[in-house]
Amino acid sequence: MKLSNFNFELPKELLAEYPAEHRDESRLMVVHRDSGKIEHKMFKDLVDYFDEDDVLVLNNTKVFPARLFGNKEKTGARIEVFLLRELNQEQRLWDVLVDPARKIRIGNKLYFGEDESLVAEVIDNTKSRGRTLRFLYDGSYTDFRRKLRELGETPLPKYIKREVTPEDEERYQTIYAKHEGAVAAPTAGLHFSKHLLKRLEIKGINFAEVTLHVGLGTFNPVEVEDLSKHKMDSEELVIDEKATEIVNTAKANKRKVCAVGTTVMRSLESAVSSEHTLNTFEGWTNKFIFPPYEFSIANCMVTNFHLPKSTLLMMISAFMGHDLMKKAYKQAILEGYRFYSYGDAMLIL
């Protein structure tokens, strides 16, 4: 499989700028891998495809407001700083992306907030737009994190050209988000409402939770024709004993194990035992799944519609078969399904 196998024409108007009015009323395409049959439903119809003791695996990471705007000392130039990951809590060191990068050099200081109560010094260059910043702030670590949250805004993907609204703070977050650390939402989970989760629970469906802190690497374009040469960024992953027990019991009983999103699928496939069961895991994963690939844990998945040439599309192709993926995506475009983070969803059975 080459990069060119994953290119297709995506009309610009199908990129979703806003979420559906109600979380569980986005559209749902249901694709049956065994027969190739495709159905068109609403997301809340998901409950009809699962039975008692089936398992949905959710990513409970929480998005933090990672996008800050500061001013460069002396010139006052407006600089966007995107927080990627904390490197050292004590020294308040962070890996960030800056824009425009050409203006930002080692030794520069950036000032944030109208009162300039937060200052950062550039101490290293990491990659073209990457820098290491040391934040200077008078106050405890708790106060510092509160300040970052207060000054930061919801890190909507770059393709969304509009201004961030207060609604985004709630909608670009799953309702089961618990552990802060992601700079992008696990978007397949955005479709679940409290009401839908309750209906699934009443039906006897079990939930297992993993934590994968989604990084911006998810959106990194693949720039090599030979997919085996592409390197994924590492992301922090935790799978605890409770989750492994729920998943492995369902597997042993031949129930459905449904990965809610590509982040969950990558998490599960990063922790497979030699017996093809799920192991506990605490660490970092840079798992890249592309065809051909043998999946070990999940036998169905929920996912959004992805962009051409993306690593996410490659995983979907590996899971549902390349020809069926192309057929489904062709239908999605014809039927006007909405793509990407705030778009519609697909259930692959």
Side-chain angles (χ1 to χ4, degrees), residues 17-18 69 78 153 156 160-166 168:
E17 288 265 325
Y18 291 91
F69 292 95
R78 181 174 150 102
E153 68 172 36
L156 291 183
I160 294 179
K161 301 293 182 218
R162 62 176 172 79
E163 290 291 304
V164 173
T165 67
D168 290 312

Side-chain angles (χ1 to χ4, degrees), residues 50 54-60 176 186 188-189 192 197 200 205-212 237-240 242-244 246-248 250-251 256-269 278 297-302:
F50 292 91
D54 287 342
V55 170
L56 291 177
V57 189
L58 311 172
N59 181 5
N60 64 17
Y176 46 78
F192 286 88
L197 284 179
L200 288 159
I205 286 119
N206 298 317
F207 300 97
E209 295 186 11
V210 301
T211 308
L212 179 84
L237 169 63
V238 178
I239 301 176
D240 63 18
K242 188 181 174 192
T244 58
I246 293 168
V247 168
N248 290 334
K251 257 186 77 80
K256 283 195 185 90
V257 175
C258 183
V260 175
T262 55
T263 63
V264 170
M265 189 64 93
R266 281 184 47 238
S267 301
L268 299 177
E269 292 297 316
L278 185 63
I297 307 293
N299 49 23
C300 56
M301 80 181 290
V302 174

